[in-house]
Amino acid sequence: MKRVIAIANQKGGVGKTTTAVNLAASLAATQRRVLLVDLDPQGNATMGCGVEKAGVEMGSCEVLLGECTAEQAVVRLPQGGFDLLPANQDLTSAEVRLLATDEGRESRLRDALAPLRERYELILIDCPPSLNMLTLNALVAADSVIVPMQCEYYALEGLSALTSTIEQVREAVNPALHIEGILRTMFDPRANLSTEVSLQLMEHFGDVVFRTVIPRNIRLAEAPSFGKPVLLHDKDSRGALAYLALAGEMIRREEEQASAGSRPAQLDAGVAASDEEAVS
């Protein structure tokens, strides 16, 4: 596999961190070597993995500023089966300092992760809820992007801007970057609105949309308060089973593309812009 995947959406509250932590645990459960990179100053992915963010001495901030290597900052979690590059609010100051840097500021993360790409089969990056320098670093470092989205009429808000940014990064510095898939999160089948928007997403974006849907689930929501992925909190819950299904779908997709020799499905920025009007 050996890929770097950014989990990004400039809209907050759509399940980016929940997806990052639980997808890392689910992929690790398939005996794959996984690294989760927390690139959000809120440090929620770090806390969700059971690591106290206030006690982080070396993390994403120090890596981006060149004060330590990524290998030095990686935390080997006692549970979950995957490794973590932690983060805390220090990342905010790192972003400010990067903005004052003229040369290579957008490629700091890519350069830092390069020595680790052969060690891990998958590196997942939890991005902040904005298109800032940190997110740009993630997109430059990544091979693909997973976009979590709620099934509501404002679901496509920001998707056009995100796909435009991805296209710019692809043209400028990372020609291999593509959208891994759009993930429907917090889905409630009892709500007609969720079903309607879900069907419209499938109609407009086709194979770019993951078939797996992440439901609203109490166990999924409470797992971070225990500092563990839902797979360790309640492995039989609907949330845990959904993320295991997502991991399986990603693996099947890659195997099918490898056997067919086909390129991953692309989401064109212009199509996203026009379809945003159709759905919202």
Side-chain angles (χ1 to χ4, degrees):
M1 232 175 203
K2 288 188 171 55
R3 290 188 295 147
V4 178
I5 302 175
I7 299 174
N9 190 328
Q10 69 179 47
K11 190 174 186 299
V14 296
K16 287 187 299 296
T17 299
T18 298
T19 295
V21 172
N22 291 291
L23 181 57
S26 296
L27 287 166
T30 67
Q31 305 304 310
R32 284 165 172 78
R33 298 184 302 278
V34 180
L35 171 66
L36 173 59
V37 177
D38 191 349
L39 209 63
D40 188 342
Q42 296 178 83
N44 289 336
T46 298
M47 296 289 285
C49 292
V51 176
E52 178 53 56
K53 62 183 179 182
V56 172
E57 296 182 359
M58 291 189 295
S60 299
C61 172
E62 288 73 24
V63 169
L64 289 175
L65 296 178
E67 297 175 1
C68 71
T69 66
E71 184 176 9
Q72 291 173 324
V74 165
V75 175
R76 285 158 182 81
L77 302 175
Q79 55 182 3
F82 60 95
D83 293 344
L84 170 72
L85 180 57
N88 56 26
Q89 61 185 9
D90 291 346
L91 262 178
T92 301
S93 62
E95 182 184 10
V96 173
R97 291 172 63 179
L98 285 177
L99 288 171
T101 303
D102 293 328
E103 187 174 351
R105 60 187 180 184
E106 73 284 345
S107 59
R108 293 287 186 91
L109 185 63
R110 180 184 63 187
D111 296 342
L113 293 179
L116 298 180
R117 288 188 69 120
E118 289 302 313
R119 176 182 302 180
Y120 296 99
E121 292 169 88
L122 280 151
I123 299 177
L124 303 179
I125 306 173
D126 182 30
C127 298
S130 58
L131 295 178
N132 56 19
M133 182 56 63
L134 297 175
T135 301
L136 179 58
N137 261 267
L139 295 179
V140 171
D143 300 309
S144 61
V145 186
I146 289 177
V147 185
M149 297 180 66
Q150 281 185 264
C151 288
E152 58 181 27
Y153 274 119
Y154 291 111
L156 295 184
E157 182 182 350
L159 180 58
S160 176
L162 177 60
T163 54
S164 177
T165 300
I166 290 172
E167 183 62 31
Q168 292 173 29
V169 171
R170 182 189 299 144
E171 292 177 355
V173 291
N174 190 359
L177 184 66
H178 63 276
I179 290 189
E180 182 87 15
I182 297 173
L183 177 65
R184 292 162 290 172
T185 60
M186 305 180 193
F187 185 80
D188 185 354
R190 298 169 298 179
N192 291 335
L193 179 60
S194 292
T195 302
E196 182 180 345
V197 174
S198 177
L199 290 173
Q200 290 185 4
L201 282 172
M202 296 285 290
E203 178 183 349
H204 284 81
F205 301 120
D207 290 340
V208 176
V209 181
F210 284 113
R211 267 38 185 179
T212 302
V213 176
I214 308 301
R216 287 191 180 275
N217 180 245
I218 295 298
R219 296 300 190 197
L220 192 57
E222 69 186 16
S225 65
F226 291 90
K228 58 179 68 174
V230 69
L231 191 60
L232 298 180
H233 178 55
D234 186 349
K235 62 182 178 60
D236 296 319
S237 66
R238 291 169 60 239
L241 295 175
Y243 277 108
L244 284 171
L246 176 61
E249 181 177 355
M250 289 176 60
I251 294 168
R252 286 193 302 274
R253 276 189 177 193
E254 185 175 55
E255 290 173 347
E256 290 169 0
Q257 289 165 3
S259 61
S262 61
R263 289 179 57 83
Q266 296 282 345
L267 177 58
D268 182 74
V271 173
S274 63
D275 284 343
E276 181 175 356
E277 298 176 0
V279 179
S280 60

